Amino acid sequence: MKDFLTALDDRVLICDGAMGTMLYSKGVFISRCFDEMNLSNPQLVREVHQDYIKAGVDIIETNTFGGNRTKLMSHGLAEQTQEINIQGARIAREAAGDSVYVAGAIGPLGIRIEPWGKMAIDEAKDIFREQAKALLTGGVDVFILETFSDLNEVYAAIQGVREVSDRPLIAQMTIEEDGNSLEGTPPEVFMKRMSDWGAEVLGLNCSVGPQTMLDSIERIAGVTSKKLSVQPNAGKPKSIEGRNIYLCSPEYMASYAKKFVQYGVRMIGGCCGTTPQHIRAIRGAVRSVSPTTRPTIVAY
């Protein structure tokens, strides 16, 4: 396999979609700790990875989005943090073989850090470092920070990863309908900060559907030369008979994938509500268009 960043230079890479959505569809209760499934039911996690690989992805993410010590503590699993992450990486590595990249997925801590919460940034950094070290031991090729909304927290996560590895780092924030982060930070600002802190790929994921994400990518594309990534939800969920249903069809998601490529996005996948069917459609759409030259970067 090529170096990951070199591969991104050569073509648009397709990432997988939702892990939680797929586990839920396979009968796992929403109240379960999905990350713990790496230990109690690794075959089911492997099946999800294989479903996405059959859909034609170039990258699969480890089932470790909530695998940090703080989140696992709420399930009484803090002492199994290392084992859950190592096993999550190994399951993905076995499924990926030598033809698909494995991205070590790291999500927020689930609590507020300073100045809004009691946890210090250095303490948060240590928690992220612990998870990153375990994922590295398990054999990931790259790291992906997902669904962050607080710049202080994503800074701690980047620093934690960088203390154990110089492998490529994808940093993705989540946005509101106005295109800003949940903390109100404009995308032009938070992307520049993450770039300065050392992330090689900058992106958006979760919370919103592809239309809102495209609007923000248009704003971002002119202010950074870094590679861009997007993983939108399959639209905003609607409650139907007590269940959250995502209504964006694979064809709808695929139509936006083409538009993302036109703004220089080099990695496209999906988040909540997306399935292998969505990813297969996105792959087909992306393969039909050639990556375009990025818009001219304006002074910031």
Side-chain angles (χ1 to χ4, degrees):
M1 294 173 66
K2 289 185 179 180
D3 169 79
F4 180 75
L5 296 178
T6 301
L8 278 181
D9 282 331
D10 293 344
R11 60 190 176 89
V12 177
L13 299 185
I14 306 301
C15 192
D16 59 12
M19 170 62 74
T21 296
M22 292 300 295
L23 289 175
Y24 180 64
S25 73
K26 291 177 182 289
V28 179
F29 290 117
I30 196 71
S31 58
R32 283 287 301 274
C33 175
F34 289 163
D35 312 88
E36 189 276 334
M37 301 290 290
N38 296 334
L39 305 182
S40 63
N41 198 341
Q43 181 55 36
L44 191 62
V45 176
R46 188 177 293 108
E47 284 177 13
V48 175
H49 289 319
Q50 291 169 341
D51 288 343
Y52 281 117
I53 291 170
K54 290 175 183 176
V57 299
D58 302 295
I59 309 159
I60 57 172
E61 295 186 36
T62 57
N63 178 39
T64 56
F65 171 75
N68 63 71
R69 177 173 292 271
T70 304
K71 276 194 171 179
L72 291 175
M73 188 181 301
S74 66
H75 295 279
L77 298 167
E79 298 310 309
Q80 294 177 272
T81 299
Q82 184 176 8
E83 187 181 4
I84 285 171
N85 283 278
I86 291 175
Q87 182 68 357
R90 286 177 175 167
I91 294 168
R93 181 80 274 160
E94 291 166 4
D98 58 2
S99 60
V100 173
Y101 298 99
V102 174
I106 297 175
L109 300 179
I111 60 173
R112 302 306 298 272
I113 68 171
E114 63 179 347
W116 298 279
K118 295 181 179 180
M119 180 175 286
I121 290 177
D122 282 347
E123 185 179 355
K125 179 189 70 176
D126 291 344
I127 293 171
F128 287 121
R129 179 178 61 202
E130 176 187 35
Q131 186 178 10
K133 184 177 181 181
L135 289 169
L136 188 65
T137 299
V140 301
D141 301 303
V142 302
F143 292 93
I144 182 165
L145 309 179
E146 296 185 306
T147 324
F148 282 78
S149 60
D150 176 5
L151 272 175
N152 286 336
E153 188 174 15
V154 80
Y155 170 77
I158 290 172
Q159 295 302 308
V161 171
R162 282 293 176 242
E163 287 191 1
V164 300
S165 176
D166 61 357
R167 295 192 180 184
L169 175 59
I170 304 158
Q172 296 186 150
M173 295 281 283
T174 187
I175 56 174
E176 296 277 25
E177 291 293 341
D178 62 3
N180 298 330
S181 76
L182 275 66
E183 301 291 344
T185 307
E188 298 92 336
V189 174
F190 64 67
M191 287 296 183
K192 186 177 187 300
R193 296 278 182 84
M194 294 193 299
S195 176
D196 292 344
W197 293 332
E200 287 92 353
V201 182
L202 310 175
L204 304 171
N205 81 292
C206 203
S207 289
V208 297
Q211 173 61 67
T212 300
M213 206 162 277
L214 179 64
D215 294 340
S216 289
I217 285 293
E218 290 179 15
R219 294 165 61 181
I220 294 163
V223 299
T224 180
S225 60
K226 291 288 183 77
K227 297 174 177 65
L228 301 179
S229 65
V230 294
Q231 291 181 279
N233 283 356
K236 297 283 283 187
K238 294 187 181 297
S239 180
I240 300 175
E241 296 182 354
R243 299 180 63 185
N244 280 338
I245 305 296
Y246 292 84
L247 300 178
C248 285
S249 69
E251 294 74 22
Y252 180 82
M253 297 283 284
S255 70
Y256 275 93
K258 292 182 180 181
K259 298 173 184 178
F260 287 131
V261 172
Q262 292 169 359
Y263 276 91
V265 171
R266 307 297 296 190
M267 188 186 101
I268 303 177
C271 204
C272 302
T274 56
T275 66
Q277 289 71 35
H278 290 88
I279 299 303
R280 184 177 291 108
I282 288 171
R283 180 184 184 276
V286 167
R287 293 291 183 263
S288 70
V289 295
S290 299
T292 58
T293 303
R294 289 279 291 278
T296 302
I297 299 173
V298 298
Y300 181 78

